[in-house]
């Protein structure tokens, strides 16, 4: 059973300037809660109790204030400061000491997952976790995401980042689960053309090792 999760709450939030020049995007209110509460509660409902927040310099007090007494929630929280964005897999490198050779989930702090029976689906996938779990969802906007393509036998053909053309509509959502070797694999990654290490490259390592598991999330 996966007991630990990383919530990504760093980044510059450049698409929401100027409001995010002073505060992390994930702290902005969505209805009556800070944005990061939604992915946090999803993983809490799935049985995870230990959380590692990846945050920007100088934002720890803001997150502590937003969380309040998180002991009342029955969870443990640690913070890791990311000095600059280096890509999603960098979170596994800078938090390696806290992962402690255990399986770990990761979720983006600005992602919303909602649907009937969603928590039981994720909870069940965490119980049997081996290798890497990715969660797919159908989308018409595939050019903005990592996409998984399948062959005629419904086996994974390739995983590609932001393809201009593809025969698949299944995108990789912002929820992942990795085994205890994830930090070691992340350290092997080379930066892409945009200067960051890519999640698709990390996932492809597990694909080559035949340790990639697909969980499809249906409509609604």
């Amino acid at each position: 059973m996966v007991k630990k999760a990383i919530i990504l709450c760093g980044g510059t939030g450049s698409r929401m300037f100027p409001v995010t020049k002073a505060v992390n995007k994930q702290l902005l209110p969505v209805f009556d809660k800070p944005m990061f509460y939604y992915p946090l509660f999803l993983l809490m409902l799935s049985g995870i109790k230990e959380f590692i927040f990846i945050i920007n310099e100088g934002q720890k007090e803001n997150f502590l204030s937003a969380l309040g007494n998180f002991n009342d929630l029955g969870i443990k929280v640690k913070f890791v400061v990311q000095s600059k964005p280096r890509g999603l897999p960098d979170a596994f490198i800078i938090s390696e000491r806290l992962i402690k050779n255990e399986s770990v989930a990761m979720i983006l702090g600005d992602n919303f997952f909602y649907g009937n029976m969603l928590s039981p689906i994720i909870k069940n996938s965490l119980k049997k976790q081996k290798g890497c779990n990715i969660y797919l969802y159908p989308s018409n906007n595939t050019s903005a995401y990592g996409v998984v393509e399948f062959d005629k036998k419904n086996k994974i053909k390739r995983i590609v980042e932001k393809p201009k053309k593809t025969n698949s509509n299944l995108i990789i959502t912002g929820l992942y689960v990795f085994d205890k070797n994830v930090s070691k694999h992340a350290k092997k990654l080379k930066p892409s053309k945009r200067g960051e290490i890519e999640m698709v490259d990390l996932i492809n390592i597990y694909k080559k090792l035949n340790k990639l598991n697909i969980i499809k999330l249906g409509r609604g």
Side-chain angles (χ1 to χ4, degrees), residues 116-128:
N116 185 36
M117 295 299 291
L118 181 58
S119 292
I121 289 171
I122 295 174
K123 189 172 186 178
N124 187 57
S125 72
L126 297 180
K127 288 180 181 178
K128 302 174 182 178

Side-chain angles (χ1 to χ4, degrees), residues 104-115:
V104 62
M106 174 191 279
I107 194 166
L108 305 187
D110 60 357
N111 274 206
F112 295 84
F113 290 82
Y114 181 81

